């Protein structure tokens, strides 16, 4: 009788429970040994060498014990592999094909003691292929569930593991600030804010002796504790985790961990990094700052953050609601996107007018003697023109139709030559009507009621259309009118309906009080009903 040399292979995905006297690997081996003993009449006998992989996933063939076992198969020292279940050997159909190829080349096979088949027969291989297909499907579905769970947890702001960022330590599903490392991170942010250059920041960090976290691996090797590289610095400066947020696949969510860096400072650093990234190599261009960063909020409490675009080589700055950047604008279609320069000029004019008004000193120092009021009024009048009004702002709140500016007590007190406690809180608050008027993609900002928007282009086109209609009624052809006016017949046909606008609409267009959307392009593309009453109703819905 031919003797069949059997080797038992055992595996467990996690290390949990492996330190017990009798663990999962022992249980698998005991069951396999009993099965081999039951086949002694067929010539089976157990080899003494153990092949155990504890704490290793079945999704890979890179396992120490399995590698030794397959080498023994190639050396023809093993005739049959015995496993408790086939997924202990592999969960991947492609990996199984590689193993079977090696087994067949060595005229070996394997047996599962809890699933009655062996690969020495064609029916056993067919059954095994079917079972492995389902095992792989189950593995992929499980992986999808895990990915979905991680995504849902990160949307709730939970920490889902991975390398803990410098400055934090993991506490369950959240992060806690590590006081010692936090100093290093804050220093790096301060250095970049001061120098505005990653290269110079790296040099200064080296000079200060700042180092990355020193970690000891399971194999005893020590990693980290090195000077920060430029790439590592960029990663730290752009990581939203430090602003109290969690990033997942391009989206950023509010985290449940404390912010190590003030969100306004973090946003400012991102603006600096963006400006540096768009700086031409070797150029000397100075980028425009965003003085309202971290101090501008909309009616939902969302902070407006600096952004920019480029048109014709010119850099255009904006302040946009942060939900536009984080991808939540679908839930908030009322998000703001305001041109930065006009907004800053408007606030500058508003604050200067408020502080230079004769009655402002009296409102600021309501309970102070007359001499103090006179002195404060003189100082405000003299100093307001030299001060930067935007630096006096503590917070600006925007809402449809109005804005509120809250001034910093300390800064205003310095201008008035008094102490902050002397200032009346209500006098530091400025309320003003605020209007936006959109023309295409362009937005214009106005304090108070927006001025009339007289569309000269629309008025000229209406006059042309009425003149063309008069000529057509007199018997002239459209082709003849087009040739005489140097235009095309198609253009005449497009604009002719403007000659038939209702008198009420003509009056509002002449005054500039028509809806901003009522333009020549709109009328040409959509047209208006022929009846005047229907025209007026249609425009009222714009």
């Amino acid at each position: 009788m031919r003797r069949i040399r059997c080797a038992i292979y055992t595996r467990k995905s996690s290390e949990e429970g492996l330190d017990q006297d009798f663990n999962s690997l022992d249980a698998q081996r005991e069951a396999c040994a009993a099965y081999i003993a039951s086949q002694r009449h067929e010539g089976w006998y157990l080899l003494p060498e153990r092949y155990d992989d504890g704490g290793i996933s079945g999704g890979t063939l890179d396992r120490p014990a399995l590698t030794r076992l397959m080498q023994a198969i190639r050396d023809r020292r093993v005739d049959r592999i015995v496993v408790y279940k086939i997924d202990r050997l592999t969960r991947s159909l492609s990996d199984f094909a590689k193993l079977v190829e090696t087994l067949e080349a060595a005229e070996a096979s394997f047996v599962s003691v809890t699933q009655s088949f062996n690969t020495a027969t064609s029916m056993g291989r067919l059954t095994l292929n079917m079972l492995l297909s389902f095992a792989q499907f189950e593995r992929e579905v499980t992986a999808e569930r895990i990915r979905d769970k991680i995504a849902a947890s990160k949307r709730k702001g939970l920490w889902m593991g991975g390398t803990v960022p410098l400055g934090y330590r993991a506490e369950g599903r959240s992060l806690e600030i590590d006081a010692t490392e936090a100093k290093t991170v804050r220093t790096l942010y301060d250095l970049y804010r001061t120098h505005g250059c990653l290269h110079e920041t790296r040099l200064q960090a080296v000079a200060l002796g700042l180092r990355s976290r020193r970690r000891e691996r399971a194999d005893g090797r020590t990693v980290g504790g090195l000077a920060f590289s430029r790439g590592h610095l960029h990663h730290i400066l752009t990581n939203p985790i430090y602003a109290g947020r969690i990033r997942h696949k391009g989206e950023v969510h509010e985290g449940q961990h404390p912010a190590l860096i003030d969100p306004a400072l973090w946003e400012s650093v991102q603006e600096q990094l963006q400006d540096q990234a768009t700086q031409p190599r070797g150029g000397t261009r100075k980028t425009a700052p965003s003085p309202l960063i971290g101090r501008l909020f909309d009616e939902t409490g969302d902070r407006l953050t600096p952004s920019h675009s480029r048109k014709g080589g010119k850099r255009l700055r904006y302040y946009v609601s942060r939900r536009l950047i984080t991808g939540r604008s679908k839930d908030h279609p009322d998000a703001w996107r305001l041109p930065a320069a006009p907004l800053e000029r408007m606030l500058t004019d508003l604050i200067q007018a408020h502080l230079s008004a004769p009655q402002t000193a009296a409102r600021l120092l309501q309970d102070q003697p007359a001499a103090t009021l006179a002195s404060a009024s003189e100082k405000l009048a003299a100093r307001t023109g030299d001060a930067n009004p935007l630096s006096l702002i503590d917070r600006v709140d925007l809402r449809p139709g109005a804005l509120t500016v809250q001034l910093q007590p300390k800064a205003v007190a310095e201008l008035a030559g008094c102490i902050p406690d002397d200032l009346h809180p209500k006098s530091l608050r400025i309320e003003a009507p605020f209007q936006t008027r959109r023309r295409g993609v362009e937005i214009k900002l106005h304090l108070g009621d927006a001025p009339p928007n007289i569309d000269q282009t629309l008025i000229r086109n209406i006059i042309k259309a009425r003149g063309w209609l008069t000529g057509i009624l007199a018997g002239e052809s459209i082709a003849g009118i087009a040739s005489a006016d140097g235009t095309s017949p198609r253009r005449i046909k497009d604009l002719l309906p403007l000659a038939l606008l209702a008198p009420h609409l003509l009056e509002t267009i002449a005054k500039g009080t028509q809806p901003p959307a009522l333009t020549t392009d709109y009328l040409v593309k959509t047209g208006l009903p022929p009846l005047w009453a229907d025209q007026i109703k249609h425009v009222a819905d714009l």
Side-chain angles (χ1 to χ4, degrees), residues 22 51 74 107 109 120 135 171 185 200 211 236 245 252 259 290 307 309 317 366 369 394 470 472 476 480 527 534:
F22 187 80
Y51 300 96
R74 295 186 190 94
E107 298 181 348
S109 62
E171 292 289 342
V185 175
E200 185 63 28
R211 294 289 185 270
I236 290 175
R245 302 164 192 167
V252 179
S290 298
S307 180
S309 63
R317 295 189 300 118
Q366 293 182 7
D394 183 53
T470 300
I472 291 171
E476 296 182 40
D534 292 340

Side-chain angles (χ1 to χ4, degrees), residues 171-331:
E171 292 289 342
R173 290 303 180 196
S174 187
L175 295 171
E176 295 294 335
I177 294 177
D178 183 297
T180 302
E181 293 184 351
K183 293 180 182 178
T184 299
V185 175
R186 292 188 179 111
T187 301
L188 292 176
Y189 272 78
D190 291 341
L191 287 174
Y192 184 77
R193 286 289 289 156
T194 301
H195 300 284
C197 171
L198 284 173
H199 178 70
E200 185 63 28
T201 300
R202 186 183 68 83
L203 294 179
Q204 293 295 326
V206 171
L208 292 174
L210 301 182
R211 294 289 185 270
S212 62
R213 175 186 292 148
R214 188 180 180 88
R215 300 190 305 274
E216 186 172 333
R217 291 183 172 176
D219 58 5
R221 289 189 301 136
T222 300
V223 296
L226 304 174
F228 291 99
S229 65
R230 189 178 185 278
H232 193 180
L233 279 176
H234 187 272
H235 175 74
I236 290 175
L237 294 174
T238 57
N239 194 345
I241 204 90
Y242 294 114
R245 302 164 192 167
I246 294 285
R247 180 161 50 198
H248 181 66
K249 293 188 179 297
E251 295 185 357
V252 179
H253 311 283
E254 290 297 328
Q256 296 188 12
H257 62 280
L260 195 155
I261 300 296
D262 181 80
L265 172 60
W266 189 85
E267 297 283 3
S268 178
V269 168
Q270 306 319 298
E271 174 75 4
Q272 276 189 281
L273 287 166
Q274 276 189 334
D275 290 345
Q276 189 184 40
T278 56
Q279 177 99 13
R281 187 178 297 276
T284 58
R285 174 180 59 83
K286 297 294 183 182
T287 57
S290 298
L292 297 178
I293 186 169
R295 293 181 284 176
L296 198 58
F297 298 83
D298 64 19
E299 72 277 14
T300 69
D302 201 9
R303 181 186 292 109
L304 272 69
T305 187
S307 180
H308 72 273
S309 63
R310 289 195 169 274
K311 184 177 181 181
K314 185 179 180 181
R315 185 173 182 272
L316 306 175
R317 295 189 300 118
Y318 297 90
Y319 290 103
V320 301
S321 296
R322 194 160 56 87
R323 55 187 178 274
L324 283 176
I325 296 176
T326 57
R328 296 180 285 120
S329 57
K330 292 182 180 179
D331 300 329

